[in-house]
Amino acid sequence: MANAEMQIIGTFFTQRPRAGKTFVNIAQRHAGLYRGYKARNARLDTVNASAPKYLAESSIALANQNFTDVDSEELLNELQKHLSLKYQLLDRVIRARKLHHSHFFSLSLDYGHQHFLDILQSQRFITLRALERLVHRTADVKYAKQKWFEWVRECQDEEETHRENESKRIKREAALFKRHAKGMESRRRALRAKEEDQRQEEYLEKAYNERKLREETDPEGNWDPIEEVVENDRGNFVELIKHFLWQEDLAAENTYTPTDESAPRAMPNAAKQLPVSQTRGSTKAVLSTMAAKASKASKKAKAKNDKTDEVPTNISESKLHMRQRLKEGTDIHYEPRTLRLQGSIVNPELLKKSPPIPHGEIEKLLEEVSEIKYLLFCRLLLSHAALLPAALRADSVDAFLNDEEITTADLRDLCLKMEKPDLQDVRDACADLSRNEEEGNDEELVDDEDETVEEHDGHNARSLFKSKPGALPSTWKSEREKQLGTMQQLGDSLPGMTEEEGGTIIDFGIIDDEAQYRRKKMLVKVCGRKIYNYRSERAMSHAGWFHFSIIAKDSDLYDAIRLCRHWDEFFELNILAIFLYFPASNWLTWVGDHFRSQLLQLGFITYFEFTEADEMSVRQQSGSRGGGRRTHAIFEARNFICAHVKRNDAASRRFIQYLSMQPSRMLLLVRDAKTGQIISKPPEEDLWLLREKSGVGRAAKNDWNIIKKVGPDFFKEMEDHRRWHFGFVEHYDMYIWDNAAGGEYFDLYNAIQATLVKAYRFCKGPDFYNLAAPVLKTITRDRDSQRVRKFKAEESVLSLYDEIHDERTSFVFGDIARTDAQPPKNLFYNEADALEDRILFPEEFDIQQSKALVFREPTHRLHKFEHEGPDMHKFATGYSSSESDYTDVSEDDDLKGLDDKAASDSNDDSFVSTDESLSVEASRSEADDNDTDVIVERAHKKQDDPYNVEEDFWYWMDKEKAKAFKPIFHAADLESGARERYIEMNTIIKKMQRYNAPGEIRLIHCFGILNWLGQRPEKSVQSRMIRDMRNAYVMMSFFFPTGFFESKGGLQYKDCLLFNQPERMRRLPPDGRAHHGNTCMPKQLWAEWDTFYKGYIVEKYPFEWDLTIRPIIAHLFKEGVLTPSRFEGGAGYAIAAQEPGRKADLYCDYRRQIDAIEMPSNMKDPRTITIDSLRTRARQFNNNHPQARFAVLKLWSAAHFYPFMLLASKRWEWSFHDGVGRVWEWKFIPKDMPYSEWSVHRNCSERLEPFMHVFKRKVILKRDLFLVMGEDEKDLQKLATAVTFAIQTRPWRLEVDLWKSFVNVDYKFLEDMDDKWLE
């Protein structure tokens, strides 16, 4: 201030001495403030001018400097000392500047001071960041060899990534002091009052002496308050930290009053369901409402998630208020619009407040919470680079807070973290409390089981053609799942899983355990307390979650779910929440919600339900023929449920498999959240959820407009609607919806629940709680307070599990008023279910393979062929005409292991032919087996005909179909010993093929028969004929003179029953199931069924029949012969009936369809050809040809079906209901089908028709039996070979069953044959 101005002011105050004295005192102080401000600026300039040589000579700006090239600790310490001093001076200069402005500039005018202040603040921020990077580098140099440092560095890097900018921190700092100002002021008043009472005289004397000393040392009044301001700020932060750690004095605690921030937050609203129209209005109105509400719900959910991430929780509650809260309990907020059931084991009473905790337990809890707060404090220090060195040096929290190297800014950041730490940090601290006891001194976390990883070829040979636009993708992952997958480092080497459609054996891919992290365990001493150098990846104990719910009182159950490490922890957490274990109102979300909690206890976790399909579906039609123009307006909706089940769990796999077997009731899509693969899905036409059609004319002629369907958009929409998410990806995401539109939601609910009961194999009422048993065995309920708590082993109390299994506990199914109500017939797991499971899940019953068979490959090729198509890559790149014979089913994976001896014999190459009359060369290598193909290939090259791609393609398709069909034909044959005999037959045929090496003479024989039949094997793709003829010749050669049975390879089969035909006819009489269709079956077979059948009712279905037919149906389904039907109404019914002399078997009743069937005129009734007529024709032929020989060839067929495929569009016509209400369809002609004999007879006739001009009257067909008559043995061999060729050639799906055929026999043999052989 100028001297002239001071003189004027002095003159003014001379006249007012008292006011002048006061003003002079203030003026002197302000002058001192100004001089201190200038001196500090000068010191800052000096520090900047005397920077260390490293900074002065560096070409890198301080803002970009990372100090990675500095390895000397001395230089690092010098740089740190310089930057710390510079930061402190900048901080004080800025504070002084602001204080100076407040004193000397009363008006808010900008004279350039604000610009200068901004420059200083920018320099302070740059210096602070440089100082932090320097501390990082110093820690790298000092602690790089420490084993715990790797994890600390990861935490610090993560903290740096999510760092807030300075402006946000300043705002949070202001809010922090605002929230705690009242409490801090109360504590200050209490402390001052106490000091005044105890040391009033001493305090006043000390203050007087200090004031007197200041006046003597500074007579001019150079007042510099900046150091005092800095010290006050630091004290405030230290005081807040002590408050968070509950180190405050008891008197201050008693006077502390929390603000609204510490009050429990309100319960969030229930999840928004898909909006529905309250009245049946227009479709556009419904859709617009849906879109608006969905968008609003999505924005609210996103806002909540963002807010949760920003301000996770508040732990500033005092010990007094926490004690009061635990003592009094909290209000319970039940979910709105839910059924709340009172009087059950879960809810004996519908409480309004959570039960109080006894005083003794409260005090122990408060001690544990205090320790958790300290652990949280230490864990936060590990992630703070600037504070970590001081924390490692300090032996207590007080010593750490008194460390002079800790800046006020660092304390501020620590306060902001301590007041509202991330929920993950709180969880880690709660887990740390008991980690010493849990983990002991083990050095490493070792996986319980080694994870199975198989080589996976990412090339999909069937992906040459693009999918249809809008088709469901094979994989889909939400953004959250992608982030979780990245964080957990799942990698992309896991094998993919085959995309499955409903109605097949589900392939669940690789089944692995939850990943465990392998880290070196180290205890780090921070502020005198030892904590592990990494966060626990194990499931937190129940006590830990109890502490978490108390500390993070603003959190809810959904926040806790996000923090669970894996499914088991999540499931146990929810079971505890259902039974009112946690004393936090926000954790009681699902308490009292009977329907949701009931499914949750069964491991089925729903997150979205649409229940209004019956109200939304509407069908309006007007007009009729002759009554005006027709119009229609139809809107259809399906109820659906979105849920999760545990991944890699046997019960989950059974549950998904059972659901996929019921498409007539409900449809299913299953997505593996870990890999994103869709492992089960229905056909594309069944993916719709909402659809409409309207217009003029018949409704059937208009196409549906699909409004909503299951697909990527639907997945994303459901993700936006849900209120909670997992923190792990080891689960299956399931979408289940009604098959029928406009159904009742509880029909779908009950069907899912009944399927869960079967999947978990519950046999009685208490079994419903088996899944929760590990939790229920550890908790009990107090009789008076109804509080659920943990109990110690020495306590003599009943656990909740004991109460459930008490003999006085009753379970009511149906009407609660009727205590004697019995459960539905098929509700519980029974013997029929067990028999079915032994077929579908054999690995679960094999002790040796229960762990090895952790995943299932598709069990048959037909499914891949139907749903993925043939391997087009092979066709596009060309295929070998000399590839191995696919008719050798004994080598197929489906039949491996049935006969180990036969399998080993089939690989026996030690063979020498001794029949020179049939083979030119005595011994030939197996490579010569393809000479025929070489000759045919040469002939093919000489042809002038252009290459016909279409003909070649269909030729190749027939081959692929045969590869897919023939293995499942024999795998699905349930006739006793049939598969074993078939494998033995193929083994012997392979031996004979190697024995009869083709050579020139053999080739002439084959070409001669083909020429006699009028076939040209060198013609285009018909080159396969010569191979077929050779196979037919080999099959018939067994029954004609041959040296095979004297050779080394054939000697062991000389006495085989297959070739001893008289003995085989006597010892193996036909014991198979009757071939009759419904039109020919004897009436007594239906007698029992007709006595009670008055309409199909599952409840009245005989249980004994279930025991018989369900294993058979399961086997046919597993092998691909049966498939679940998508249509509700089956054409027939499955029953168990018994033929005379045989045990009960599966039969299908299609009799009500017979009247509607009109047989085509070209179909012939095979019953007109009787057994007597066959014998008469043979006798006449024998009379005319004294050397006559005969062959009875039988077409191979399984016990329940013929090897002729039904058109996919016709399968529903021959569907049937089983004993539990499921509907099945045949893929191949069932023997029970009305007029099935006619169809088979027609198909077999078509095989013979091209050759009947040469066969003439020597071949007679009766359904699937061929009577071949030769004038002599040589003629019979040629005819039998030709007929076998006609049966087995393209499309290569039919075979002659040698075990039921008789070749090269005389008429007397035919006379003596049992009639059953000729049926």
Side-chain angles (χ1 to χ4, degrees):
M1 190 176 294
N3 292 332
E5 294 175 350
M6 292 295 297
Q7 291 178 359
I8 296 173
I9 294 173
T11 303
F12 173 79
F13 285 110
T14 301
Q15 303 173 3
R16 301 172 178 80
R18 186 174 181 179
K21 184 177 180 180
T22 303
F23 177 79
V24 170
N25 189 23
I26 294 175
Q28 289 177 348
R29 285 180 173 273
H30 286 181
L33 170 65
Y34 181 77
R35 286 192 293 269
Y37 162 69
K38 287 293 187 180
R40 192 171 288 103
N41 279 350
R43 188 181 178 190
L44 177 62
D45 295 337
T46 302
V47 170
N48 289 331
S50 60
K53 183 178 180 181
Y54 175 84
L55 294 177
E57 297 179 355
S58 177
S59 60
I60 302 175
L62 186 61
N64 302 323
Q65 184 64 260
N66 53 20
F67 307 101
T68 54
D69 56 340
V70 181
D71 298 323
S72 171
E73 291 189 22
E74 292 77 7
L75 179 57
L76 289 171
N77 292 334
E78 180 186 359
L79 293 174
Q80 185 173 355
K81 184 177 180 181
H82 169 76
L83 291 178
S84 298
L85 179 59
K86 181 178 179 179
Y87 174 78
Q88 293 174 6
L89 288 174
L90 283 169
D91 184 63
R92 284 161 173 76
V93 166
I94 292 172
R95 290 174 182 271
R97 185 80 180 184
K98 291 180 178 179
L99 187 61
H100 179 265
H101 285 191
S102 65
H103 282 285
F104 291 95
F105 300 96
S106 59
L107 299 178
S108 298
L109 300 176
D110 188 5
Y111 298 102
H113 302 291
Q114 184 61 43
H115 176 67
F116 179 65
L117 195 61
D118 292 340
I119 294 176
L120 292 176
Q121 288 176 341
S122 176
Q123 293 179 2
R124 181 179 64 176
F125 178 78
I126 292 173
T127 304
L128 178 62
R129 289 292 172 265
L131 186 60
E132 289 178 353
R133 291 192 294 271
L134 180 62
V135 172
H136 272 257
R137 180 57 186 165
T138 303
D140 286 339
V141 174
K142 289 185 177 181
Y143 306 115
K145 297 181 180 180
Q146 298 292 333
K147 296 179 180 180
W148 51 264
F149 184 70
E150 179 183 355
W151 181 83
V152 171
R153 172 60 72 230
E154 292 177 3
C155 292
Q156 292 174 351
D157 293 341
E158 183 179 358
E159 177 69 20
E160 183 70 23
T161 303
H162 298 88
R163 178 190 298 277
E164 294 177 324
N165 59 37
E166 187 66 15
S167 60
K168 286 187 177 181
R169 292 192 179 192
I170 293 173
K171 292 180 180 179
R172 289 187 59 192
E173 177 186 352
L176 173 69
F177 281 108
K178 184 177 181 180
R179 286 191 294 270
H180 296 279
K182 186 175 181 180
M184 293 173 61
E185 184 61 30
S186 299
R187 289 194 299 278
R188 289 194 185 97
R189 285 199 302 268
L191 289 173
R192 284 196 294 268
K194 186 175 181 179
E195 291 174 357
E196 186 176 0
D197 292 338
Q198 295 178 355
R199 300 186 305 275
Q200 184 175 13
E201 292 298 330
E202 292 83 359
Y203 178 79
L204 293 176
E205 183 66 24
K206 182 179 179 180
Y208 173 76
N209 293 332
E210 290 178 354
R211 177 66 177 273
K212 185 175 180 180
L213 179 62
R214 189 187 309 122
E215 290 179 354
E216 291 176 355
T217 56
D218 187 13
E220 296 184 0
N222 292 331
W223 178 56
D224 189 2
I226 301 305
E227 294 298 332
E228 183 178 348
V229 171
V230 171
E231 185 63 28
N232 287 340
D233 287 348
R234 182 186 180 93
N236 290 338
F237 291 126
V238 169
E239 188 176 359
L240 280 175
I241 291 174
K242 290 183 176 181
H243 165 63
F244 296 149
L245 296 177
W246 288 358
Q247 288 187 348
E248 70 273 14
D249 186 80
L250 181 62
E253 176 188 335
N254 292 337
T255 59
Y256 178 66
T257 303
T259 62
D260 57 349
E261 284 289 321
S262 62
R265 68 184 181 188
M267 191 69 183
N269 293 330
K272 299 293 183 183
Q273 304 231 353
L274 282 179
V276 297
S277 177
Q278 299 298 326
T279 61
R280 299 182 184 272
S282 65
T283 302
K284 291 184 178 180
V286 173
L287 295 180
S288 61
T289 306
M290 286 181 65
K293 291 191 175 182
S295 176
K296 186 176 181 181
S298 175
K299 291 179 179 179
K300 286 185 176 180
K302 187 177 185 303
K304 178 184 181 297
N305 291 336
D306 294 343
K307 182 178 180 181
T308 302
D309 293 337
E310 182 179 354
V311 186
T313 187
N314 192 320
I315 66 166
S316 61
E317 185 180 23
S318 69
K319 185 182 295 186
L320 172 66
H321 288 88
M322 183 176 289
R323 181 186 292 112
Q324 192 73 15
R325 175 164 60 88
L326 297 177
K327 181 179 179 180
E328 296 179 355
T330 57
D331 295 334
I332 297 178
H333 304 280
Y334 292 107
E335 280 280 283
R337 298 180 298 171
T338 56
L339 175 65
R340 295 187 287 275
L341 185 63
Q342 180 174 327
S344 65
I345 192 69
V346 178
N347 297 304
E349 300 178 14
L350 288 178
L351 305 175
K352 295 182 179 180
K353 299 189 69 173
S354 61
I357 301 177
H359 176 74
E361 292 186 31
I362 291 177
E363 296 305 317
K364 182 180 179 181
L365 280 173
L366 293 179
E367 293 178 5
E368 294 171 346
V369 169
S370 178
E371 181 63 22
I372 291 173
K373 285 176 174 283
Y374 277 97
L375 293 172
L376 173 63
F377 178 74
C378 296
R379 191 156 290 280
L380 292 176
L381 290 176
L382 280 178
S383 62
H384 201 295
L387 297 177
L388 180 58
L392 295 175
R393 292 194 304 267
D395 58 357
S396 66
V397 175
D398 290 335
F400 168 78
L401 294 176
N402 293 329
D403 195 320
E404 295 182 355
E405 293 187 7
I406 300 176
T407 64
T408 303
D410 292 334
L411 289 177
R412 177 199 63 184
D413 295 343
L414 188 58
C415 277
L416 294 175
K417 287 185 179 180
M418 277 296 296
E419 186 205 20
K420 293 184 177 181
D422 187 78
L423 289 175
Q424 182 65 61
D425 293 328
V426 178
R427 183 204 183 276
D428 295 338
C430 293
D432 286 339
L433 183 65
S434 55
R435 285 180 72 181
N436 291 336
E437 299 176 2
E438 292 178 356
E439 299 181 3
N441 297 320
D442 297 337
E443 290 189 357
E444 289 186 351
L445 283 174
V446 182
D447 296 343
D448 294 335
E449 295 181 10
D450 293 336
E451 184 174 351
T452 303
V453 179
E454 295 186 355
E455 294 295 330
H456 175 59
D457 184 5
H459 172 67
N460 183 3
R462 292 175 166 82
S463 60
L464 294 181
F465 301 106
K466 294 182 179 180
S467 301
K468 296 179 180 179
L472 192 67
S474 59
T475 60
W476 186 87
K477 275 191 174 185
S478 66
E479 293 300 323
R480 182 180 293 270
E481 289 169 350
K482 292 176 183 177
Q483 294 172 3
L484 286 174
T486 302
M487 290 187 293
Q488 295 183 5
Q489 298 180 353
L490 297 178
D492 56 0
S493 61
L494 290 178
M497 292 180 293
T498 307
E499 189 177 302
E500 304 287 347
E501 291 196 4
T504 60
I505 291 294
I506 305 301
D507 174 22
F508 291 93
I510 293 296
I511 299 174
D512 50 11
D513 298 325
E514 289 79 13
Q516 294 283 350
Y517 291 87
R518 304 174 68 93
R519 292 182 180 273
K520 190 72 175 179
K521 287 184 180 181
M522 289 294 296
L523 285 173
V524 184
K525 191 174 183 181
V526 179
C527 293
R529 280 178 168 79
K530 290 185 176 181
I531 63 172
Y532 280 98
N533 63 316
Y534 67 98
R535 62 177 47 146
S536 175
E537 296 296 338
R538 295 186 176 184
M540 191 159 64
S541 65
H542 300 167
W545 283 115
F546 190 80
H547 293 139
F548 181 91
S549 67
I550 294 175
I551 297 173
K553 60 184 179 61
D554 292 341
S555 66
D556 56 25
L557 183 62
Y558 301 149
D559 296 324
I561 290 174
R562 181 170 53 87
L563 299 175
C564 291
R565 292 287 190 261
H566 52 72
W567 181 275
D568 291 338
E569 182 181 12
F570 154 77
F571 179 74
E572 293 182 3
L573 178 71
N574 282 277
I575 293 298
L576 293 172
I578 288 176
F579 283 88
L580 280 173
Y581 175 74
F582 299 109
S585 60
N586 292 347
W587 285 55
L588 310 179
T589 302
W590 292 339
V591 173
D593 187 344
H594 176 68
F595 295 117
R596 180 176 293 182
S597 62
Q598 200 168 36
L599 292 178
L600 189 148
Q601 293 177 65
L602 299 178
F604 186 78
I605 319 300
T606 63
Y607 63 88
F608 194 91
E609 307 94 14
F610 175 64
T611 63
E612 314 298 335
D614 55 337
E615 297 183 11
M616 291 186 64
S617 298
V618 60
R619 187 181 186 93
Q620 296 178 351
Q621 288 184 303
S622 62
S624 61
R625 180 177 298 177
R629 200 170 188 184
R630 294 182 177 182
T631 61
H632 60 273
I634 306 173
F635 186 88
E636 292 185 348
R638 287 168 161 174
N639 295 309
F640 64 86
I641 294 178
C642 306
H644 299 295
V645 295
K646 183 180 180 181
R647 188 178 187 267
N648 302 345
D649 179 67
S652 296
R653 295 196 293 273
R654 291 194 296 268
F655 175 63
I656 295 172
Q657 188 66 71
Y658 294 162
L659 288 179
S660 70
M661 294 160 63
Q662 306 177 66
S664 60
R665 298 176 182 172
M666 50 193 162
L667 300 167
L668 167 75
L669 186 144
V670 183
R671 189 180 60 84
D672 188 344
K674 186 172 184 178
T675 64
Q677 292 283 347
I678 295 177
I679 61 176
S680 179
K681 66 175 184 179
E684 289 286 337
E685 58 267 25
D686 284 333
L687 294 175
W688 66 271
L689 299 174
L690 299 175
R691 66 181 184 178
E692 66 172 353
K693 67 164 61 176
S694 60
V696 178
R698 292 181 179 271
K701 294 183 178 181
N702 284 352
D703 294 330
W704 287 100
N705 174 32
I706 306 299
I707 301 169
K708 186 178 295 295
K709 69 174 184 177
V710 179
D713 293 339
F714 178 75
F715 299 153
K716 187 177 184 303
E717 181 181 357
M718 293 300 100
E719 281 291 312
D720 293 339
H721 276 292
R722 61 186 304 167
R723 293 183 296 162
W724 54 272
H725 296 84
F726 289 126
F728 53 88
V729 292
E730 288 78 17
H731 60 86
Y732 291 132
D733 199 5
M734 300 184 64
Y735 306 88
I736 308 172
W737 61 98
D738 280 325
N739 183 20
E744 292 283 345
Y745 168 75
F746 285 107
D747 291 339
L748 177 63
Y749 178 93
N750 292 333
I752 292 174
Q753 187 183 45
T755 308
L756 285 167
V757 171
K758 297 288 188 180
Y760 283 101
R761 297 174 176 169
F762 296 156
C763 300
K764 53 186 182 299
D767 291 349
F768 277 82
Y769 297 92
N770 284 352
L771 204 59
V775 178
L776 300 180
K777 290 179 179 180
T778 63
I779 56 179
T780 185
R781 178 182 281 117
D782 292 333
R783 290 287 177 265
D784 298 332
S785 65
Q786 296 297 316
R787 173 176 172 255
V788 174
R789 62 177 179 85
K790 286 277 186 178
F791 65 90
K792 298 179 181 178
E794 60 271 14
E795 288 189 73
S796 179
V797 294
L798 285 177
S799 67
L800 289 181
Y801 182 83
D802 296 331
E803 289 187 22
I804 292 170
H805 287 78
D806 191 285
E807 59 182 10
R808 295 168 294 180
T809 303
S810 62
F811 290 82
V812 180
F813 301 92
D815 189 357
I816 300 178
R818 293 184 55 194
T819 57
D820 61 340
Q822 295 298 318
K825 173 188 171 184
N826 290 311
L827 175 61
F828 290 115
Y829 192 78
N830 53 43
E831 186 180 353
D833 297 317
L835 292 174
E836 185 177 80
D837 282 354
R838 285 187 176 274
I839 303 297
L840 297 177
F841 311 102
E843 68 278 2
E844 296 182 9
F845 298 90
D846 191 333
I847 298 177
Q848 295 180 351
Q849 297 184 4
S850 59
K851 290 186 177 181
L853 296 178
V854 292
F855 73 97
R856 187 200 320 279
E857 293 289 346
T859 56
H860 55 82
R861 299 173 181 173
L862 178 58
H863 168 259
K864 286 188 175 181
F865 184 84
E866 285 188 317
H867 298 292
E868 300 178 19
D871 193 341
M872 299 302 298
H873 186 266
K874 289 183 179 179
F875 179 75
T877 57
Y879 58 89
S880 173
S881 62
S882 60
E883 59 184 315
S884 61
D885 188 358
Y886 45 81
T887 61
D888 295 332
V889 187
S890 59
E891 291 186 350
D892 192 88
D893 293 337
D894 297 289
L895 298 180
K896 277 186 177 179
L898 291 178
D899 193 329
D900 296 335
K901 184 176 184 300
S904 62
D905 289 344
S906 67
N907 296 322
D908 183 12
D909 294 330
S910 58
F911 175 85
V912 178
S913 173
T914 59
D915 188 354
E916 297 184 0
S917 65
L918 295 178
S919 179
V920 176
E921 298 177 285
S923 66
R924 299 185 56 156
S925 64
E926 188 175 354
D928 292 334
D929 186 49
N930 294 323
D931 284 356
T932 301
D933 303 307
V934 175
I935 296 174
V936 172
E937 182 179 357
R938 292 173 182 172
H940 175 67
K941 290 181 178 178
K942 296 179 181 180
Q943 297 297 315
D944 297 329
D945 297 338
Y947 177 67
N948 191 326
V949 177
E950 182 178 0
E951 183 181 3
D952 196 20
F953 173 76
W954 290 114
Y955 171 85
W956 175 78
M957 281 291 292
D958 285 336
K959 290 177 58 180
E960 292 297 308
K961 289 179 182 179
K963 289 180 181 179
F965 291 175
K966 294 181 74 172
I968 71 167
F969 287 164
H970 297 281
D973 190 0
L974 293 176
E975 183 177 336
S976 178
R979 285 182 287 178
E980 290 78 1
R981 291 194 295 269
Y982 179 76
I983 290 177
E984 183 181 8
M985 181 187 75
N986 275 278
T987 303
I988 300 173
I989 290 175
K990 286 193 66 176
K991 293 277 189 175
M992 188 65 163
Q993 286 174 341
R994 286 198 290 269
Y995 175 82
N996 286 330
E1000 295 178 5
I1001 295 179
R1002 182 65 55 230
L1003 189 60
I1004 292 173
H1005 280 298
C1006 293
F1007 270 103
I1009 298 176
L1010 287 173
N1011 186 58
W1012 175 61
L1013 294 175
Q1015 302 298 305
R1016 294 179 58 193
E1018 72 280 1
K1019 178 74 173 178
S1020 187
V1021 297
Q1022 297 182 17
S1023 58
R1024 172 72 196 196
M1025 283 184 182
I1026 189 65
R1027 180 186 292 269
D1028 298 336
M1029 180 57 71
R1030 188 194 66 192
N1031 290 338
Y1033 192 91
V1034 167
M1035 292 181 68
M1036 294 298 104
S1037 296
F1038 290 116
F1039 306 97
F1040 295 91
T1042 178
F1044 170 73
F1045 295 110
E1046 304 301 329
S1047 67
K1048 183 178 179 181
L1051 186 61
Q1052 58 181 319
Y1053 302 111
K1054 185 175 183 179
D1055 298 327
C1056 179
L1057 197 60
L1058 175 62
F1059 310 112
N1060 189 349
Q1061 299 185 100
E1063 186 68 15
R1064 171 157 56 92
M1065 180 182 65
R1066 184 182 63 84
R1067 291 174 53 184
L1068 293 179
D1071 188 33
R1073 182 182 176 278
H1075 63 273
H1076 302 297
N1078 279 188
T1079 50
C1080 304
M1081 282 185 179
K1083 293 183 178 180
Q1084 60 267 25
L1085 194 71
W1086 312 107
E1088 185 178 358
W1089 168 246
D1090 291 337
T1091 55
F1092 71 90
Y1093 172 64
K1094 301 296 181 184
Y1096 177 70
I1097 301 176
V1098 174
E1099 291 295 324
K1100 293 184 179 181
Y1101 198 85
F1103 180 69
E1104 294 76 14
W1105 288 9
D1106 255 354
L1107 296 176
T1108 299
I1109 69 172
R1110 284 185 60 189
I1112 298 175
I1113 292 175
H1115 186 88
L1116 296 175
F1117 162 66
K1118 182 180 180 182
E1119 302 303 339
V1121 174
L1122 287 178
T1123 184
S1125 176
R1126 298 157 43 210
F1127 302 98
E1128 292 184 86
Y1133 305 96
I1135 69 168
Q1138 190 171 1
E1139 297 179 29
R1142 298 192 72 250
K1143 62 180 182 179
D1145 206 336
L1146 167 68
Y1147 296 86
C1148 296
D1149 181 10
Y1150 296 114
R1151 288 176 295 169
R1152 63 178 182 175
Q1153 303 288 97
I1154 294 177
D1155 294 338
I1157 299 176
E1158 293 184 7
M1159 298 303 295
S1161 59
N1162 62 342
M1163 301 286 279
K1164 182 179 180 180
D1165 186 355
R1167 292 177 296 178
T1168 59
I1169 306 174
T1170 63
I1171 297 176
D1172 291 339
S1173 65
L1174 286 177
R1175 286 196 172 109
T1176 300
R1177 292 282 299 275
R1179 183 171 60 254
Q1180 293 173 354
F1181 188 86
N1182 185 64
N1183 293 336
N1184 296 330
H1185 304 282
Q1187 302 296 323
R1189 305 295 289 180
F1190 300 90
V1192 178
L1193 302 181
K1194 185 75 170 180
L1195 178 71
W1196 181 94
S1197 63
H1200 299 87
F1201 62 93
Y1202 291 107
F1204 299 103
M1205 195 167 191
L1206 286 170
L1207 292 175
S1209 59
K1210 297 294 184 180
R1211 290 176 184 173
W1212 66 271
E1213 296 180 3
W1214 308 114
S1215 59
F1216 63 90
H1217 293 271
D1218 66 5
V1220 291
R1222 298 176 300 199
V1223 183
W1224 301 91
E1225 294 178 355
W1226 292 94
K1227 294 182 181 179
F1228 304 93
I1229 295 179
K1231 291 187 175 181
D1232 294 332
M1233 184 183 76
Y1235 303 104
S1236 62
E1237 304 97 324
W1238 296 42
S1239 177
V1240 172
H1241 185 84
R1242 177 58 186 168
N1243 277 282
C1244 291
S1245 297
E1246 291 176 350
R1247 308 297 295 175
L1248 297 178
E1249 282 177 2
F1251 315 110
M1252 287 306 294
H1253 66 284
V1254 295
F1255 291 159
K1256 298 181 180 178
R1257 297 175 58 84
K1258 293 182 179 181
V1259 179
I1260 303 173
L1261 172 65
K1262 174 180 170 58
R1263 198 182 63 255
D1264 58 349
L1265 183 141
F1266 303 82
L1267 176 61
V1268 184
M1269 301 177 291
E1271 297 178 3
D1272 52 25
E1273 191 175 82
K1274 184 177 180 180
D1275 185 41
L1276 177 66
Q1277 185 174 14
K1278 181 173 68 172
L1279 279 169
T1281 301
V1283 172
T1284 303
F1285 165 80
I1287 295 172
Q1288 298 187 160
T1289 193
R1290 182 179 180 182
W1292 305 292
R1293 302 175 205 170
L1294 306 182
E1295 299 173 276
V1296 172
D1297 189 351
L1298 292 183
W1299 283 97
K1300 296 180 180 180
S1301 300
F1302 299 91
V1303 183
N1304 197 13
V1305 298
D1306 56 15
Y1307 176 72
K1308 180 66 169 58
F1309 190 93
L1310 294 180
E1311 285 283 338
D1312 297 337
M1313 287 180 66
D1314 191 311
D1315 287 351
K1316 290 184 178 180
W1317 289 108
L1318 300 175
E1319 286 184 350

